[in-house]
Amino acid sequence: MLDNKGFDLWADGYDEAVGLSEESNVYPFAGYKNVLGYIYEVIMEKPGAAVLDIGFGTATLTSKLYEHGCEVYGQDFSARMIELAQEKMPDAKLYQGDITKGLVPELHEKKFDFIVGTYSIHHLNDEQKVEFIKELLGLLNDGGKILFGDVAFDTREKLEQCKVEEGQRWDDDEIYFVLDELQQHFPGIKYEPKSYCSGVVVIEK
């Protein structure tokens, strides 16, 4: 797994690397544009929404929301990613922090209409995911939504099948969403598949 220094080094070529995977329709970024497009369309239904982006990277998604009037907040653990994102979104409130340790204190002072994370929450193990989602739900306005775009599967069986099919491409350091397991903790959770290995996890308050 890359640490924050690794992501600093990868930051400038990140969008290109994602694009190559997405265009080839291969794991892990197959369906990437559809994932981001779905999240964007949901958020655009509420003009001027307050949005928290977890692990925003180079702000591919968040900068579009920013341009269309959203109030943007974010946390990422790469100083270089934050630097690149801040250039695109001068008035966004962006903080450096490791999500395995939760959100930075400043973000607990605000309520959000949407909390998003695209290809970032897989750095948390299954237990950490549950605790983190509970933390995030406490920061949502009534009717707000958590939207996680990532590699995800309906069942553990489908995950294991994909793992076998991908072989050496599969990243054992990343822990992906399994919906029927999360439903035990969040009964109202929904999943919108966008490729054979990815989609959007939706949790509404």
Side-chain angles (χ1 to χ4, degrees), residues 13 20 23 59-60 70 80 95 125 195 205:
L20 290 173
E23 287 170 14
T60 302
C70 289
R80 179 58 179 157
Y95 302 94
N125 65 35
S195 79
K205 184 171 180 178

Side-chain angles (χ1 to χ4, degrees), residues 1 4 6 9 15 26 33 40 44 57 66 72 75 77-78 102-103 108-109 119 121 128 135 142 144 155 157:
M1 182 184 295
N4 61 331
L9 294 171
D15 293 337
V26 296
K33 290 178 183 175
Y40 174 83
M44 282 293 96
Y66 179 88
V72 172
Q75 178 172 321
F77 75 162
S78 165
L103 295 180
H108 281 274
E109 299 171 4
Y119 299 85
I121 311 301
Q128 288 173 323
E135 179 183 359
D142 289 341
T155 65
E157 182 182 10

Side-chain angles (χ1 to χ4, degrees), residues 55-79:
F56 49 81
T58 57
T60 302
L61 169 64
T62 326
S63 62
K64 301 301 180 191
L65 299 172
Y66 179 88
E67 289 168 9
H68 286 82
C70 289
E71 183 184 355
V72 172
Y73 293 75
Q75 178 172 321
D76 199 285
F77 75 162
S78 165

Side-chain angles (χ1 to χ4, degrees), residues 126 129 152-157 159 176-183:
D126 293 332
K129 280 185 179 69
F153 303 90
D154 290 319
T155 65
R156 179 69 55 183
E157 182 182 10
L159 183 151
Y176 300 122
F177 289 100
V178 177
L179 261 292
D180 63 355
E181 294 173 10
L182 279 173
Q183 280 173 336

Side-chain angles (χ1 to χ4, degrees), residues 2 32 35 38 43 48 50 52 57 66 74 102 105 111 128 140 164 172:
L2 289 173
Y32 178 79
V35 166
Y38 176 85
I43 295 175
L52 169 59
Y66 179 88
K111 294 281 188 179
Q128 288 173 323
L140 277 180
V164 170
D172 284 314

Side-chain angles (χ1 to χ4, degrees), residues 164-203:
V164 170
E165 291 171 354
E166 295 302 328
Q168 292 185 338
R169 276 203 301 258
W170 187 264
D171 190 340
D172 284 314
D173 287 333
E174 297 182 347
I175 302 114
Y176 300 122
F177 289 100
V178 177
L179 261 292
D180 63 355
E181 294 173 10
L182 279 173
Q183 280 173 336
Q184 300 170 28
H185 303 278
F186 310 102
I189 196 169
K190 297 175 183 175
Y191 180 54
E192 297 284 343
K194 297 298 172 185
S195 79
Y196 74 96
C197 66
S198 65
V200 181
V201 176
V202 183
I203 308 169

Side-chain angles (χ1 to χ4, degrees), residues 13-32:
Y14 180 78
D15 293 337
E16 182 180 358
V18 169
L20 290 173
S21 175
E22 199 272 343
E23 287 170 14
S24 302
N25 195 40
V26 296
Y27 162 91
F29 291 112
Y32 178 79

